[in-house]
Amino acid sequence: MEIRVGQAYLRRLPERHPMYRDIERYVEKRKAKYKREKRADDYLAFLPQDGLLVFQGLPFQNGSSRTLIDTLILTRAFVLIIEYNHLSDTIYMDPAFDQLIQHKGKAEKGWPDPFYRLQKQKRFLQAWARARHLPELPVEYLVIFCHETAEVKAPPANTAEEQKICLANQAVYKINRLRDLYGQPVLDSKHFKKWEKHLLTHHPPAEIFPFKIDWDAMYMGVRCPVCRRFEMEYKDEVWRCQYCGQADKISHRQAIEDFFLLVSKTAVEQDLCDFLRLGAEKTAKLLQEMGLCW
């Protein structure tokens, strides 16, 4: 969703806009992260499907505190919090100073210990569950390095914490070991569904995009799919570009999606008409043809 919102802004903003390049760079970074996390998620498809649910991008709020969990796996015996790490090249564990050391070419850089954040998320999730009177479950966590060039090297000590770190292709093995460790279910079917319901419904909406752009800064209208100018006019159920002459019948679909992504999830009649530069009657007809309510 972050990528889709960013791409909509890039369609609607002039390249001279002071935030255009920042948004462009942000979208490219998010696309790269999404690709890596999707690759890591693909491995989770090999997990046994019985009594196991996977939730992604879950925002949590407990009182005034908030957190966002990358991936959460719910079983009847335990809950697993997964954090995706995007460091590349060779990564060393440095338990003496609670950090990761990244070797990239000849450069060396230190990064914060990911376990500190995960331990906070563990405590947060436990408090969140107690506040909703959910049956208590053991909470585990795992750091998955999802960059395709990542190589993780742990020190000889090989502590319990270091067992909670792995590459994407090792995740299923790590999770199955936890399933073996917590062999006996804690939740019956009723309470498992109760956990599922609360995870799906009892959390605040996530912040989708960090950039805030005024509506006035964006191009209005329907963009030509060929010359990319906002010069399309609607007549006799056909969109025709007044600049290059391109004609089609579906150019409004991208524009309506842009409206829902950037302006409002609920189509206010006059706002959508202004956005499309189209009258109310024609706008309503296009929405109905797309199966959207006015």
Side-chain angles (χ1 to χ4, degrees), residues 35 132 150-151 167 276:
K35 181 180 178 182
R132 284 150 185 81
E151 180 185 5
L167 299 176
L276 297 177

Side-chain angles (χ1 to χ4, degrees), residues 29 40 63 73-74 102 104 111 117 124 166 170 195 198 215 234 242 259 273 287 293:
K29 287 181 180 179
I73 294 180
L74 173 67
Q102 179 191 30
K104 193 172 183 179
W111 295 89
R117 170 180 161 83
F124 189 100
C166 69
Q170 300 166 335
W195 261 90
H198 278 263
W215 188 1
Y234 191 64
Q242 302 304 295
F259 177 85
C273 292
L287 284 175
C293 296

Side-chain angles (χ1 to χ4, degrees), residues 117-129:
R117 170 180 161 83
L118 285 167
Q119 287 162 357
K120 285 185 64 177
Q121 288 190 335
K122 174 180 177 177
R123 292 192 294 270
F124 189 100
L125 182 61
Q126 289 169 329
W128 178 90

Side-chain angles (χ1 to χ4, degrees), residues 42-260:
D42 288 343
Y43 287 106
L44 300 184
F46 293 100
L47 286 168
Q49 299 302 303
D50 57 305
L52 182 146
L53 295 173
V54 179
F55 302 83
Q56 295 170 318
L58 278 180
F60 285 89
Q61 184 162 340
N62 197 37
S64 60
S65 301
R66 295 171 65 103
T67 191
L68 179 69
I69 292 178
D70 289 344
T71 292
L72 182 145
I73 294 180
L74 173 67
T75 77
R76 295 187 180 190
F78 66 94
V79 179
L80 176 64
I81 298 171
I82 293 176
E83 178 173 294
Y84 289 124
N85 187 294
H86 294 267
L87 293 181
S88 62
D89 297 275
T90 306
I91 300 102
Y92 291 88
M93 298 287 300
D94 184 3
F97 294 96
D98 293 328
Q99 64 178 341
L100 300 175
I101 305 296
Q102 179 191 30
H103 289 271
K104 193 172 183 179
K106 295 183 179 180
E108 183 179 289
K109 185 174 182 179
W111 295 89
D113 179 0
F115 296 130
Y116 175 73
R117 170 180 161 83
L118 285 167
Q119 287 162 357
K120 285 185 64 177
Q121 288 190 335
K122 174 180 177 177
R123 292 192 294 270
F124 189 100
L125 182 61
Q126 289 169 329
W128 178 90
R130 284 194 298 270
R132 284 150 185 81
H133 307 291
L134 294 173
E136 187 173 345
L137 278 174
V139 179
E140 294 283 352
Y141 49 82
L142 181 66
V143 179
I144 296 179
F145 286 84
C146 56
H147 199 288
E148 55 274 12
T149 68
E151 180 185 5
V152 182
K153 294 190 176 181
N158 207 21
T159 66
E161 288 288 77
E162 288 146 20
Q163 292 296 317
K164 298 176 181 179
I165 204 164
C166 69
L167 299 176
N169 61 356
Q170 300 166 335
V172 171
Y173 169 73
K174 293 278 187 176
I175 296 168
N176 281 332
R177 284 192 64 183
L178 285 173
R179 286 166 66 92
D180 292 338
L181 178 65
Y182 294 98
Q184 293 299 318
V186 176
L187 304 179
D188 58 20
S189 177
K190 176 184 175 181
H191 289 105
F192 185 70
K193 289 179 179 178
K194 186 177 180 181
W195 261 90
E196 177 187 5
K197 178 183 176 181
H198 278 263
L199 287 170
L200 286 173
T201 60
H202 289 257
H203 54 78
E207 290 292 330
I208 293 298
F209 201 72
F211 299 93
K212 303 300 180 185
I213 309 292
D214 292 335
W215 188 1
D216 294 341
M218 293 186 277
Y219 290 118
M220 299 293 108
V222 174
R223 190 170 77 157
C224 174
V226 175
C227 72
R228 301 181 181 276
R229 293 174 181 265
F230 290 86
E231 300 290 344
M232 299 291 272
E233 289 192 4
Y234 191 64
K235 186 177 181 181
D236 298 328
E237 299 186 352
V238 174
W239 291 96
R240 189 174 300 277
C241 180
Q242 302 304 295
Y243 183 81
C244 72
Q246 173 69 19
D248 71 31
K249 293 187 175 183
I250 61 170
S251 294
H252 58 279
R253 294 181 182 178
Q254 182 68 74
I256 291 173
E257 181 179 327
D258 288 350
F259 177 85
F260 286 123

Side-chain angles (χ1 to χ4, degrees), residues 18-50:
M19 297 182 73
Y20 187 93
R21 297 302 171 197
D22 290 336
I23 294 173
E24 190 175 48
R25 285 190 290 270
Y26 181 85
V27 169
E28 288 306 309
K29 287 181 180 179
R30 292 305 303 167
K31 285 168 69 176
K33 284 188 173 183
Y34 175 78
K35 181 180 178 182
R36 290 193 289 266
E37 291 184 9
K38 179 67 169 61
R39 171 179 166 270
D41 287 341
D42 288 343
Y43 287 106
L44 300 184
F46 293 100
L47 286 168
Q49 299 302 303
D50 57 305

